[in-house]
Amino acid sequence: MKIFLIGFMGCGKSTKAKQLASRLQCEVIDLDAVIAEQEGKTIAEYFEANGEASFRQLENQTLKNYPYPETCVVATGGGLPCFFDNMEWMNANGKSVYLYMEPPALVSRLHNRQKRPLIKDMDDEQLLQFIEHKLSERSPFYTKAQLIVNAFDLDGEKLQQKLEGLI
Ligand code: S3P
């Protein structure tokens, strides 16, 4: 079973994916890291060189063509569920889990903004407004997930418990 963790930047997808994979004793795959390694660039550098539309194409191809092992936990980029048929593809090929977090909590967790091209020059107030706006646009996609979990104060153990019955 492939478990796809989705949610806004800063909700902790990568960390929770690692924790969950270690509990389930399976591989963890971070799709942004796969793209960065394959392209020999950070995500910020890729955006700078090729723009967002090109990144979204590459993200879509990487999601669909990665040679996933039978069982794994996959951390996805925050925008991935909202482009093409990515959400439908994840639901058809595994289980999707939306890690939900309130905008103020996301702001306080997004310290290192430089590596995130969409928010790199924002102060806290601009970031809060951006998140509120983007989250309302993205929620219809995120909420297609088969499981929605409040990501605040969540660890691998709690996430594993919530997944019982789904996997
Ligand atoms: C993005 C989120 C990032 C990365 C890219 C775009 C977004 O991933 O894919 O910067 O559109 O929300 P994280 O959610 O891991 O920061």
Side-chain angles (χ1 to χ4, degrees):
M1 174 57 58
K2 303 179 205 30
I3 301 166
F4 295 97
L5 299 189
I6 68 166
F8 209 83
M9 291 176 265
C11 72
K13 298 177 294 278
S14 300
T15 308
K16 280 148 200 156
K18 277 186 209 146
Q19 292 171 345
L20 182 63
S22 122
R23 297 189 70 83
L24 298 176
Q25 296 188 310
C26 68
E27 204 175 305
V28 60
I29 294 142
D30 189 314
L31 287 180
D32 272 352
V34 169
I35 293 173
E37 191 175 335
Q38 180 185 291
E39 295 302 309
K41 286 186 179 71
T42 64
I43 300 298
E45 286 164 351
Y46 189 91
F47 262 68
E48 188 81 21
N50 306 290
E52 182 174 353
S54 166
F55 175 76
R56 297 304 174 191
Q57 292 279 358
L58 182 57
E59 188 178 51
N60 171 258
Q61 286 158 20
T62 309
L63 170 71
K64 294 186 177 177
N65 297 328
Y66 189 83
Y68 300 99
E70 188 70 26
T71 305
C72 56
V73 181
V74 185
T76 62
L80 180 141
C82 316
F83 290 85
F84 309 104
D85 60 347
N86 293 347
M87 203 60 230
E88 287 71 23
W89 191 90
M90 289 187 282
N91 284 339
N93 289 277
K95 299 289 177 196
S96 59
V97 181
Y98 172 28
L99 302 181
Y100 174 75
M101 203 177 265
E102 294 288 338
L106 291 168
V107 171
S108 68
R109 291 169 46 90
L110 285 163
H111 295 300
N112 184 2
R113 293 173 200 165
Q114 281 313 311
K115 65 172 190 176
R116 291 182 160 104
L118 296 178
I119 59 169
K120 66 180 167 50
D121 298 319
M122 294 184 189
D123 64 26
D124 281 2
E125 213 172 292
Q126 290 168 323
L127 182 59
L128 182 61
Q129 279 190 11
F130 171 84
I131 292 175
E132 282 170 345
H133 176 72
K134 269 274 178 249
L135 203 51
S136 70
E137 272 178 14
R138 289 180 172 186
S139 280
F141 297 93
Y142 289 157
T143 53
K144 289 183 191 167
Q146 287 137 319
L147 179 69
I148 300 177
V149 177
N150 190 334
F152 191 78
D153 218 15
L154 185 72
D155 59 22
E157 188 181 353
K158 286 186 197 156
L159 182 53
Q160 188 181 13
Q161 284 164 4
K162 305 257 184 204
L163 276 161
E164 270 162 31
L166 190 73
I167 54 172

